[in-house]
Amino acid sequence: MSESSSVSRLSGEKIISYGLVFFASLVIFFISQIIQFYLGTYELTTMYISFCAGFILFIPLVSLVLHPLLLNKEGKSDTFHFRTLFANIGLVCVVQFLCFLIWMTDAIALYSLYVDQNSFLSKVFDIQTQARGDMTFEFYAFNFVLAWLFSLLSMIVGVLPCLIARLDNRGVVGDFVASFAFAKAHKGLMCLYALIIASSVLLTLLYAKYLFLVLFPSSLVWVFIQLNKKYILSSVSK
């Protein structure tokens, strides 16, 4: 009886986890649409890609709700208490939001310097520079590369340390060291996972916005599960 109740509780936690990651995706989607609308109002639609890239910085925060999906080294799911997550999520939200604001400040400067030297933003922030011609393509390419880099860094310094803390709990420093060691040992996979996540955000929000609600949470869940499995395998093989 207790075993069946434990199984049903774990199943319930997983359902909640999937629901929360979809809800987080929905929030990001609505925010992106509001931003896109106002950027269009001020004829700054080119900047939208920078906001899309910035959303990737929230991946460590969103991935926290996926922890009920984690398997331990015995291949079993441990009991997860969401109240513990919600008790500490406020500080994480503040840090992630600050990172997003810092990136957007830099993005505004880059846009004003290289894309539109006469834009509304250039006048508001008093950014003066010599005309450099139309560098819209370069701006897009730069943001795509940066989105991939944000995704890679988010996994290494955000997703993986939290995952390792749940499985091994080596301490803050130890978790980060283990994360970097894992990333170094699986460079190719980490780059691929980063590309998958970055593409699921940028390509969908830019060219097929409603697909974001399917591809982003699906990609994030799949990558998270793969990281969990790979880490367990690498730990067992040591």
Side-chain angles (χ1 to χ4, degrees):
M1 185 71 176
S2 60
E3 185 177 348
S4 61
S5 62
S6 176
V7 171
S8 62
R9 184 177 67 252
L10 289 173
S11 299
E13 290 173 352
K14 290 181 179 180
I15 292 172
I16 294 173
S17 180
Y18 288 126
L20 286 174
V21 76
F22 179 76
F23 175 74
S25 303
L26 201 60
V27 170
I28 292 174
F29 176 77
F30 278 122
I31 293 173
S32 72
Q33 295 310 294
I34 293 170
I35 290 172
Q36 187 179 34
F37 172 78
Y38 281 105
L39 287 176
T41 301
Y42 292 100
E43 298 181 350
L44 297 169
T45 51
T46 306
M47 262 210 73
Y48 181 56
I49 188 174
S50 295
F51 283 91
C52 294
F55 290 140
I56 294 175
L57 294 171
F58 290 102
I59 285 175
L61 176 63
V62 177
S63 69
L64 290 177
V65 303
L66 296 176
H67 280 217
L69 306 180
L70 282 175
L71 298 177
N72 58 29
K73 292 183 178 180
E74 287 74 36
K76 299 179 180 179
S77 298
D78 293 325
T79 302
F80 183 83
H81 299 289
F82 279 101
R83 62 177 177 272
T84 306
L85 169 65
F86 294 136
N88 300 310
I89 205 169
L91 179 60
V92 179
C93 285
V94 172
V95 173
Q96 298 269 255
F97 186 68
L98 286 175
C99 290
F100 181 76
L101 286 181
I102 291 170
W103 158 237
M104 289 320 306
T105 304
D106 294 338
I108 288 171
L110 289 171
Y111 176 84
S112 301
L113 286 171
Y114 296 104
V115 179
D116 189 354
Q117 292 84 17
N118 299 311
S119 68
F120 165 76
L121 292 174
S122 299
K123 296 173 183 177
V124 170
F125 291 94
D126 193 26
I127 298 175
Q128 299 177 1
T129 182
Q130 295 180 347
R132 301 171 185 268
D134 187 4
M135 298 186 70
T136 303
F137 174 78
E138 290 81 356
F139 184 72
Y140 267 76
F142 170 76
N143 276 278
F144 267 102
V145 173
L146 203 63
W148 172 80
L149 185 61
F150 281 168
S151 181
L152 185 63
L153 289 176
S154 294
M155 285 192 293
I156 296 174
V157 302
V159 178
L160 269 173
C162 293
L163 184 152
I164 293 170
R166 285 278 300 168
L167 297 176
D168 284 337
N169 194 16
R170 307 182 183 195
V172 176
V173 176
D175 293 336
F176 275 98
V177 170
S179 175
F180 278 97
F182 177 87
K184 183 179 179 181
H186 301 86
K187 292 186 286 289
L189 275 177
M190 293 297 290
C191 290
L192 176 62
Y193 293 158
L195 181 62
I196 290 172
I197 292 176
S199 300
S200 72
V201 175
L202 259 65
L203 294 180
T204 54
L205 287 178
L206 288 173
Y207 305 113
K209 59 184 181 181
Y210 293 111
L211 275 179
F212 172 82
L213 295 173
V214 176
L215 291 183
F216 172 66
S218 301
S219 300
L220 185 59
V221 169
W222 183 81
V223 168
F224 186 81
I225 292 173
Q226 295 306 309
L227 287 174
N228 182 198
K229 291 179 179 178
K230 282 290 180 183
Y231 179 75
I232 291 174
L233 287 174
S234 63
S235 299
V236 171
S237 61
K238 288 182 180 179

